[in-house]
Amino acid sequence: MGLLGDTSKLSVAFDGSSYNSGASHYGTKVCDCQSKGIYNCTRKRRFSDPEATWGWDSYRNQWFYGSTLFTVTASDSPYDLPIYMRIVQANRHDSVTTIFALRDIHSIYHNLTFKHFIADGAMDNYPTYDLLKHYNIIPFIALDSRTKLKFDYPHPDILCFDYKGRPICPV
């Protein structure tokens, strides 16, 4: 129906979004120790969100307790429709989830051809570039600002652009 754009050369954007759990990371006491005057109870507690973990939200520069929603979006489509969504633990880095997401979308959408991979600096690592090369996908990844490596020559598998889309790798 054309909702995803050209499925013979699909561009996909990968990113994770943190969301806070409404649960307490302390849990809820299920014993009657407090009524007996025991305030330092070490008995088991009930957790309303047992899957929640602590994670770092780099966008807001703060810790959060909850999960991460990882989404792959068909970025060429006129509607930016998500084609893959997965909830993962907050303490899992987006670059790790990316590896699983790439495998999953290739097995789920075996009839689509993925041409471009768009992501932020969290995916700026050689294993991701190697996997994209294996799948024959062109990466458009923001270079991680903490990277200390300076290129004396352009790396054959990495495209370097500034924020306006101009090539910045030395030729």
Side-chain angles (χ1 to χ4, degrees):
M1 294 183 349
L3 293 175
L4 297 180
D6 186 355
T7 57
S8 67
K9 55 179 183 170
L10 198 61
S11 294
V12 286
F14 285 56
D15 201 11
S17 299
S18 60
Y19 65 90
N20 292 314
S21 172
S24 168
H25 64 277
Y26 295 111
T28 303
K29 294 180 181 181
V30 292
C31 61
D32 61 347
C33 291
Q34 193 170 0
S35 66
K36 296 177 182 177
I38 304 169
Y39 295 101
N40 193 12
C41 173
T42 58
R43 292 187 179 178
K44 291 185 177 180
R45 296 170 182 248
R46 180 179 48 84
F47 292 89
S48 57
D49 188 357
E51 301 295 318
T53 58
W54 282 100
W56 178 254
D57 185 344
S58 59
Y59 179 76
R60 293 177 183 82
N61 280 336
Q62 66 183 21
W63 290 98
F64 71 98
Y65 185 72
S67 299
T68 298
L69 174 64
F70 193 83
T71 308
V72 178
T73 304
S75 58
D76 277 347
S77 77
Y79 308 105
D80 289 332
L81 293 174
I83 61 169
Y84 177 85
M85 293 170 38
R86 176 178 226 156
I87 295 174
V88 298
Q89 291 185 324
N91 58 2
R92 181 191 273 187
H93 196 269
D94 281 353
S95 63
V96 175
T97 308
T98 296
I99 302 302
F100 292 102
L102 275 167
R103 179 205 58 195
D104 290 349
I105 65 171
H106 270 87
S107 63
I108 295 169
Y109 301 110
H110 52 83
N111 57 335
L112 302 181
T113 303
F114 300 102
K115 183 71 175 168
H116 301 107
F117 173 91
I118 304 164
D120 60 16
M123 285 63 141
D124 179 25
N125 57 69
Y126 283 113
T128 300
Y129 289 115
D130 290 341
L131 186 60
L132 292 170
K133 185 176 182 180
H134 170 75
Y135 285 130
N136 199 27
I137 300 174
I138 300 169
F140 290 92
I141 301 175
L143 297 178
D144 191 333
S145 62
R146 296 169 296 186
T147 301
K148 301 208 182 336
L149 177 66
K150 301 296 181 207
F151 295 107
D152 292 334
Y153 57 91
H155 188 283
D157 298 326
I158 300 176
L159 303 173
C160 304
F161 297 95
D162 67 6
Y163 69 97
K164 289 186 178 180
R166 298 176 298 215
I168 59 173
C169 286
V171 179

